[in-house]
DNA sequence: CGGTCATGTGACTGGCTGGTCATATTGAAA
DNA sequence: TTTCAATATGACCAGCCAGTCACATGACCG
């Protein structure tokens, strides 16, 4: 946790620091991200940074927590229809994930790095990974309880598939359809028939393969 | 490319160096892998290393090439039935990939890191990534030409799905079924009904979702 | 004014990195 | 035995890094 000093900072300065830290950790992995660079960018002394945070990992976990909170809030502000079927829910979930990626690219990138691993404190990586795994596992079990996913499907395996596909799908679509990005309206990507077609096709494949119909 | 000096080395010494380098780059990503550590391990002088290789990247690309060659040879030595359908071929391909992972874990790990990205020279990453993408793309197009994959499926999207699933599936299975690993016979993983069941289920899902039947 | 407490500072430490280079060793040919 | 090119060496360099600490600044209070 950041120290009290950090939260005592004037709002503007604190936010500026957060923004610069987000930029640093979005552009670089944990090892490559540099506190020296960050403080130089921010125009504060190295010592001041260590008045705000215990150490590098402290800042990083704080940014991760910010990202998790922002994403939860983002998803909560566009809640899905509760009566939605499992596959429709998954479609909604990943569409919302891409919206979030467009709206908060830095936060997304940092979370992506955490889940996808690479150089970062082992404990954090494990936490992020298992968090995602558990979530998808529950999703699948719920889907089977509701009769949306065939009971003979191995729940853990299906969770793995959802996890890996939807972790990467956003990046794939954004990379494939770069022209659709950058319009002021974050929803633009899904107004194009092309994006919707690809999206639906993935869901259709999974539903045909795992569904009960 | 390594310098001539490297290839002039006595076979035993050269192989020993390669083995230690494989260990170093399998355990650490490109940035974290350390030439200083490597030469200390090998008991040679820092300067000697730079008589053998241009620099760190030179060694790394050499190891990657070794890995690619070893894998190609491995796959070539268990060739699939040429009359095999596309999905059976994909099943064979990923099973062989896991066998390779069991037989040459260090080479696999290095290749995995290259494809999956993280800290490494951008040019190499791009090369590894697009190499895999192109391969799967061709696979899908061939599958459509043979009538195994439905023509209305977006070929690039399907290639993406195969790519992402089979890049991660090996690690998932190895992680989920660790007891099956470690037996002297590399083929052991697939003699267990459990592994075969999971494997078949993935293929079944994909075939039901993308096939023509 | 003096005191006290939170905050700010940047030179500094110790440790690591990839890479260089003048020098030493080796081994074989002449 | 002399010579000469290939190879081996490790001290050294510049550049990073995370983290520390003795000290400076500033603000509020009596």
């Amino acid at each position: 946790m950041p120290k009290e000093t950090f939260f005592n900072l004037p709002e503007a300065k604190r936010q500026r620091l957060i923004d610069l830290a987000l930029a640093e950790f979005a552009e670089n992995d944990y090892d490559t991200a540099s506190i020296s660079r960050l403080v130089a960018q921010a125009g504060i002394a190295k010592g001041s940074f260590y008045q705000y945070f215990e150490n590098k990992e402290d800042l990083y976990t704080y940014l991760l927590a910010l990202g998790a909170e922002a994403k939860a809030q983002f998803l909560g502000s566009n809640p899905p229809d509760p009566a939605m079927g499992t596959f429709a829910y998954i479609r909604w979930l990943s569409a919302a994930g891409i919206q979030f990626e467009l709206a908060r690219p830095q936060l997304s990138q940092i979370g992506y790095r955490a889940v996808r691993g690479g150089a970062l404190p082992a404990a954090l990586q494990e936490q992020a990974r298992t968090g995602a795994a558990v979530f998808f596992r529950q999703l699948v079990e719920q889907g089977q309880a509701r009769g949306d996913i065939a009971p003979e499907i191995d729940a853990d395996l299906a969770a793995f598939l959802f996890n890996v596909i939807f972790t990467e799908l956003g990046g794939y679509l954004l990379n494939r359809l770069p022209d659709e990005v950058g319009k002021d309206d974050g929803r633009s990507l899904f107004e194009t028939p092309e994006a919707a077609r690809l999206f639906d096709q993935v869901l259709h494949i999974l539903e045909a393969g795992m569904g009960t119909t």
Side-chain angles (χ1 to χ4, degrees), chain A:
Chain A
M1 266 303 231
K3 299 182 184 174
E4 202 188 327
T5 320
F6 178 67
F7 296 108
N8 291 343
L9 245 35
E11 170 67 18
K13 184 171 182 181
R14 205 179 71 235
Q15 194 55 53
R16 189 176 126 74
L17 223 80
I18 290 177
D19 289 342
L20 289 170
L22 286 177
E24 180 69 19
F25 279 87
E27 274 165 31
N28 304 96
D29 64 63
Y30 181 82
D31 278 349
T32 310
S34 158
I35 303 299
S36 300
R37 213 156 39 205
L38 171 61
V39 297
Q41 274 264 320
I44 66 172
K46 193 85 160 278
S48 294
F49 174 85
Y50 286 93
Q51 303 259 17
Y52 304 149
F53 299 94
E54 298 288 345
N55 48 42
K56 188 182 186 177
E57 186 173 335
D58 187 27
L59 167 61
Y60 179 69
T61 56
Y62 178 62
L63 295 181
L64 271 188
L66 281 187
E69 188 193 330
K71 185 150 189 178
Q73 195 174 336
F74 186 89
L75 294 184
S77 74
N78 302 43
D81 180 352
M84 211 180 252
T86 300
F87 287 97
Y89 175 71
I90 287 172
R91 190 196 197 286
W92 168 84
L93 191 69
S94 31
I98 295 182
Q99 307 289 10
F100 184 71
E101 200 164 330
L102 288 171
R104 310 292 295 274
Q106 293 173 331
L107 285 177
S108 296
Q109 180 68 3
I110 292 172
Y112 179 71
R113 279 193 207 282
V115 158
R116 201 147 185 276
L120 76 154
L124 286 178
Q125 158 128 0
E126 202 48 31
Q127 195 180 328
R129 256 192 213 278
T130 58
V134 164
F135 173 81
F136 279 106
R137 176 70 198 254
Q138 287 173 339
L139 190 67
V140 169
E141 282 170 357
Q142 204 176 341
Q144 289 183 315
R146 300 178 72 184
D148 290 336
I149 297 178
E152 67 267 23
I153 296 286
D154 184 277
D156 203 72
L157 182 71
F160 158 76
L161 289 176
F162 283 131
N163 196 340
V164 72
I165 289 174
F166 292 112
T167 298
E168 304 295 336
L169 184 61
Y172 170 76
L173 288 179
L174 257 27
N175 191 288
R176 172 161 169 183
L177 306 170
D179 296 344
E180 321 299 337
V181 187
K183 304 180 184 170
D184 40 304
D185 178 7
R187 207 164 301 131
S188 56
L189 182 62
F190 298 96
E191 289 167 357
T192 74
E194 179 68 354
R197 193 189 117 247
L198 294 173
F199 227 86
D200 285 332
Q201 205 163 80
V202 174
L203 267 297
H204 170 263
I205 290 171
L206 292 175
E207 189 160 10
M210 311 186 351
T212 51
T213 51

